[in-house]
Amino acid sequence: MSKIIVMIGAPGAGKGTQARLLSEKYGYPQISTGDILREMAQADTPEGRDLKQIMAAGKLVSDDVLADLIEKRTSRPDCQNGYILDGYPRTVVQAQQLEEMAAWQKKEVLLVRVVVFEDELMKRLTGRRTCKKCGEIYNINFRPPQIAGVCDRDGGSLSQRADDNAETVKRRLSEYQSATAPLIDYYGRNGRLIEVDGQLPVDEVFEKLCHVIDNFGIRAA
Ligand code: AP5
């Protein structure tokens, strides 16, 4: 049976960093709902403007928008053999929708939680910089590029996300506590959530995740 790898964690826990590495290693597409929504928010339409406002305020986009988005994206041919969800589900309703979707897609779900203490998250998020060309993720405090503002991989310029300022980060963390943290109980009750220490250096977190994924029966591409 093909698989869905689900990355759960607070904003800044390292879901995107790790999902990118896992996608390279296992050949599964990385589906980042944040990236897809940022792209949709560029459109100069009522929907695009709405999304931009919600995300700039650090609030969550509605479950209905997410259900439609995730169903369309995961029905593309590149998802047939499995995929990685980065940033979804984020509410109990989304978790229920994912279970239904996995059942009719005949896919098995692996849930991994990347755990990081809250006081580290603010530093990680306000220090994050992302390459405009390839999406590589840096951090001015923890993982700086060799030349400030320039991607080591392809020389692209690095930018800061609009929602990575201190005020919006506080709001995102509080949304996480109220809407997403209950998922930990929801999944934890069935003993389905595997936890990985996200405070370790990036390569050590990756190693631990690979161990969990290999045990789940997924082979590297
Ligand atoms: P989204 O883009 O998903 O943002 P997020 O969940 O807040 O997560 P981040 O991308 O900020 O963090 P991350 O865990 O991926 O960390 P990263 O690897 O980049 O969502 C944005 C918005 O979209 C939401 O606020 C909401 O409005 C909307 N949205 C998205 N999905 C939704 C959904 N399902 N439902 C409703 N609304 C939705 O790492 C962060 C930094 O830390 C980087 O600089 C990195 O270099 C550094 N770092 C990573 N790992 C380590 C490490 N081990 N040690 C030191 N530094 C590290």
Side-chain angles (χ1 to χ4, degrees):
M1 198 187 254
S2 60
K3 323 270 185 191
I4 305 172
I5 302 171
V6 178
M7 312 282 297
I8 294 180
K15 305 179 295 294
T17 301
Q18 297 297 333
R20 216 175 143 74
L21 294 169
L22 294 173
S23 172
E24 279 170 16
K25 173 164 177 176
Y26 292 94
Y28 280 19
Q30 170 192 2
I31 300 178
S32 158
T33 46
D35 286 349
I36 298 172
L37 289 165
R38 272 185 288 282
E39 178 93 36
M40 288 165 67
Q42 303 278 330
D44 191 13
T45 58
E47 191 198 23
R49 286 190 287 274
D50 257 13
L51 287 175
K52 200 172 195 167
Q53 218 177 13
I54 293 168
M55 294 167 81
K59 297 182 191 161
L60 290 185
V61 174
S62 77
D63 291 332
D64 289 346
V65 170
L66 266 294
D68 189 48
L69 175 166
I70 213 79
E71 203 179 309
K72 280 194 186 130
R73 177 61 187 91
T74 63
S75 54
R76 289 208 212 143
D78 65 337
C79 291
Q80 208 165 355
N81 294 327
Y83 52 86
I84 303 168
L85 290 178
D86 158 18
Y88 181 92
R90 241 165 157 114
T91 63
V92 172
V93 171
Q94 292 179 17
Q96 289 160 344
Q97 285 164 345
L98 171 63
E99 275 175 34
E100 283 169 27
M101 193 177 74
W104 59 256
Q105 288 183 348
K106 297 195 173 29
K107 286 186 167 52
E108 206 177 347
V109 180
L110 171 65
L111 298 150
V112 193
R113 179 181 171 213
V114 184
V115 186
V116 173
F117 295 121
E118 192 162 335
D119 53 2
E120 165 118 0
L121 298 170
M122 176 64 80
K123 262 193 263 167
R124 285 196 183 185
L125 290 168
T126 52
R128 172 168 51 192
R129 301 291 183 272
T130 309
C131 175
K132 285 185 185 170
K133 257 199 211 168
C134 70
E136 183 70 7
I137 304 168
Y138 295 88
N139 195 291
I140 55 170
N141 307 307
F142 306 112
R143 190 181 174 239
Q146 282 167 16
I147 303 168
V150 180
C151 178
D152 295 346
R153 281 192 164 191
D154 60 13
S157 60
L158 304 186
S159 66
Q160 184 171 21
R161 259 169 54 176
D163 59 352
D164 275 349
N165 61 77
E167 197 189 326
T168 312
V169 168
K170 272 190 211 149
R171 178 65 197 246
R172 286 162 59 199
L173 293 173
S174 108
E175 284 280 299
Y176 173 79
Q177 282 309 331
S178 57
T180 311
L183 275 186
I184 298 162
D185 271 353
Y186 175 81
Y187 285 128
R189 271 201 305 272
N190 320 320
R192 292 175 61 199
L193 200 57
I194 296 173
E195 297 197 338
V196 170
D197 181 358
Q199 305 261 133
L200 298 168
V202 170
D203 53 344
E204 288 180 39
V205 179
F206 182 58
E207 202 180 306
K208 289 190 184 297
L209 279 170
C210 290
H211 182 69
V212 168
I213 288 166
D214 293 344
N215 279 343
F216 191 59
I218 298 177
R219 293 189 206 307

